[in-house]
Amino acid sequence: MSATAKLALALSLALTCVPASAEVYRFTIARKAPAASDVPKTTPIGELVVNGALHLPAYAITVVDGIDGWTTAKPESMKVDGAKLTATQAARLAAYATPSGWMLVPRDWKLLKGGVGADGSTAISFVPSSGNGHLDFYDASACRGCAETPASLFFPEARADAQRDEYPVYERSATPLKLTRHGKHRMLYRTVVDGQPIDGIAYYDSASDLPYRNHEVSLPAAQRDLATPMLNWYVPRSKEE
């Protein structure tokens, strides 16, 4: 597959990326459902035990794989330790085994989209029953352009890499974007669209074989306090990473 074809595939999978132009990134709240033939599935697989004491209902997701067809995620373990999660928060969350590991999702949400490209790039999206929110995950895999273009919004080093490699570059977002560096390769971000916050964690390391991934969440008002534990799930204890 050519670099251009890989870029097109990965950007089509990147659920959070809605370009308004070559230079402006437009965040959105709602997500559109895929074609019926591409709707992913979930299967109960018991409970995920967190920190040895918290029990969350667990599900495995089945998504379209660009190589293997429909593929069901298989968790390496049904236990996770060291997570920043309270019993009160856990009682409102469920755990989903995905091709990229466990994800925490409000219990009344549903899996809307999920796919793995032939190059390994992965995109997953959960939404609330109201449709007024989302949890998105995107991993560019080994595709350089698929990493450098979306990462250019958050990281000046990714912007420089994309310009050098002649990939599209995002210089700003359509809504004000607050960025907070967390370690060498991780950026915490927030923006507000139509009065609703969107929070995320972006990771970029040009020296890595898997240079870019992104977790983003936007919750309805009644569940907004869950944004912190959902995103803390992906923040390491050390800022050295």
Side-chain angles (χ1 to χ4, degrees):
M1 180 180 291
S2 68
T4 301
K6 283 185 176 182
L7 177 60
L9 171 62
L11 290 184
S12 69
L13 283 172
L15 301 175
T16 63
C17 179
V18 185
S21 73
E23 298 180 348
V24 179
Y25 187 104
R26 187 175 300 279
F27 289 91
T28 61
I29 301 293
R31 296 290 174 264
K32 294 182 179 180
S37 60
D38 293 331
V39 174
K41 304 172 181 62
T42 62
T43 304
I45 56 172
E47 292 183 327
L48 177 68
V49 181
V50 179
N51 299 337
L54 306 177
H55 295 254
L56 283 70
Y59 304 85
I61 74 170
T62 301
V63 299
V64 175
D65 188 298
I67 296 177
D68 300 322
W70 287 97
T71 300
T72 300
K74 297 180 179 179
E76 294 183 1
S77 174
M78 297 298 290
K79 297 180 180 180
V80 172
D81 293 317
K84 300 175 182 178
L85 191 67
T86 68
T88 300
Q89 294 165 345
R92 300 165 63 196
L93 295 166
Y96 286 82
T98 78
S100 298
W102 289 103
M103 294 184 184
L104 298 188
V105 183
R107 293 194 182 188
D108 61 337
W109 285 34
K110 67 178 181 179
L111 176 62
L112 182 71
K113 297 180 181 180
V116 179
D119 60 358
S121 54
T122 302
I124 297 168
S125 185
F126 290 86
V127 295
S129 56
S130 67
N132 190 33
H134 62 265
L135 168 62
D136 288 345
F137 170 73
Y138 175 61
D139 186 336
S141 188
C143 177
R144 304 304 302 186
C146 316
E148 292 172 7
T149 292
S152 68
L153 177 65
F154 308 108
F155 299 89
E157 59 269 36
R159 190 174 304 120
D161 291 342
Q163 290 171 335
R164 177 199 64 207
D165 297 333
E166 299 184 347
Y167 290 116
V169 173
Y170 291 107
E171 295 182 350
R172 63 183 179 87
S173 64
T175 51
L177 183 63
K178 179 181 179 181
L179 299 173
T180 302
R181 178 79 69 162
H182 188 282
K184 296 179 180 179
H185 306 298
R186 188 171 280 99
M187 194 76 76
L188 313 182
Y189 66 87
R190 165 172 278 203
T191 191
V192 178
V193 175
D194 297 331
Q196 181 162 321
I198 297 175
D199 295 287
I201 299 175
Y203 174 92
Y204 180 75
D205 180 4
S206 62
S208 172
D209 292 335
L210 305 173
Y212 180 72
R213 58 185 179 269
N214 179 290
H215 293 87
E216 181 178 292
V217 63
S218 183
L219 297 107
Q223 296 178 317
R224 204 155 291 163
D225 59 311
L226 293 176
T228 295
M230 289 170 67
L231 290 175
N232 275 347
W233 189 256
Y234 311 107
V235 177
R237 292 181 177 181
S238 171
K239 290 189 177 184
E240 292 304 313
E241 185 176 331

